[in-house]
Amino acid sequence: MSKQTILVVDDEKDLLDLIEYNLRKEGFEVLKAENGEQGIEVAREHKPDLILLDIMMPKMDGLQAVEEIRKDDELKGTPIIFLTARSDEKTEVEGLNKGGDDYITKPISTVKLLSRIKAVLRRFDEKEESVNRLDVHDLLIDKDRYIVQRGEEEFQLPRKEFELLFFLASRKGRVLDRQTLLNRVWGDNIYVVDRTVDVHVRKIREKLGDHYIETVKGVGYRFKE
């Protein structure tokens, strides 16, 4: 399946390294930051699929950081899990009210932590899949009718080209590798090669123009911000 990226923000270096090791074992890409300010900078640059956020940190704590993240148009939909030693109900409620999607108290076993992370990612994937119309840039991409509109122009793309465009556009700004695109658009049980993605992207560009989908050399593709 896809290599999703998780940003871990915590000022305990040993814990950061432990979480990174176990997440990588599960196939995730991992980014790290040691305080809230650094976490926001890394998130803005890399746009992770999920942020694991401590509360008690120097420079900017997790509660302040989540407020800033939720103000950012490009990050406000990113799932955030608090992982903290603060176990009081008041802080938990405050964290969830400010925009956290889950609240986990340290210490927690690696197995349980991974389970909670996967559950949140799964929930957000399901929410994204339920969207049937996208307004991105000057395009309206309508999954109910399998139509792409740009002003008065209407484009009818073949099914897989449309589904590839929709998947990329629904994750605008994220870099998606070819294997992720193959798995999510063509399915795990269908044998197709990486080149299939390249061919479909080229055909989409021929019809809509080459200014929507960006090639990220050596990785895959990204629908431009």
Side-chain angles (χ1 to χ4, degrees), residues 95-156:
L96 295 173
N97 285 341
K98 286 181 183 293
D101 298 288
D102 199 356
Y103 190 100
I104 300 172
T105 303
K106 301 173 185 174
I108 183 172
S109 73
T110 300
V111 173
K112 286 184 180 178
L113 177 59
L114 289 168
S115 176
R116 297 278 281 271
I117 288 170
K118 290 175 182 178
V120 171
L121 285 170
R122 191 162 53 245
R123 192 163 75 237
F124 271 74
D125 268 349
E126 288 167 357
K127 187 160 67 174
E128 284 184 325
E129 294 300 328
S130 69
V131 175
N132 286 326
R133 284 168 62 95
L134 297 173
D135 282 294
V136 283
H137 302 305
D138 55 350
L139 299 178
L140 171 65
I141 309 174
D142 187 339
K143 202 172 187 180
D144 290 328
R145 298 185 298 146
Y146 270 72
I147 292 290
V148 180
Q149 289 180 305
R150 181 170 57 203
E152 297 299 315
E153 287 184 284
E154 194 171 276
F155 304 87
Q156 289 188 313

Side-chain angles (χ1 to χ4, degrees), residues 42-63:
V42 174
R44 284 175 175 159
E45 181 179 354
H46 296 281
K47 298 178 182 62
D49 294 288
L50 181 142
I51 300 172
L52 196 61
L53 186 63
D54 188 20
I55 289 181
M56 296 182 291
M57 295 182 292
K59 294 188 179 180
M60 179 186 287
D61 67 32
L63 295 175

Side-chain angles (χ1 to χ4, degrees), residues 23-35:
L23 286 173
R24 289 191 184 280
K25 270 180 62 180
E26 288 294 309
F28 294 105
E29 293 289 349
V30 182
L31 303 167
K32 297 188 291 184
E34 296 183 5
N35 60 66

Side-chain angles (χ1 to χ4, degrees), residues 166-184:
F166 193 94
F167 187 79
L168 284 163
S170 69
R171 290 151 178 83
K172 183 175 66 172
R174 295 192 204 173
V175 179
L176 298 165
D177 61 70
R178 289 172 178 80
Q179 192 58 51
T180 296
L181 296 170
L182 287 172
N183 289 341
R184 299 302 295 272

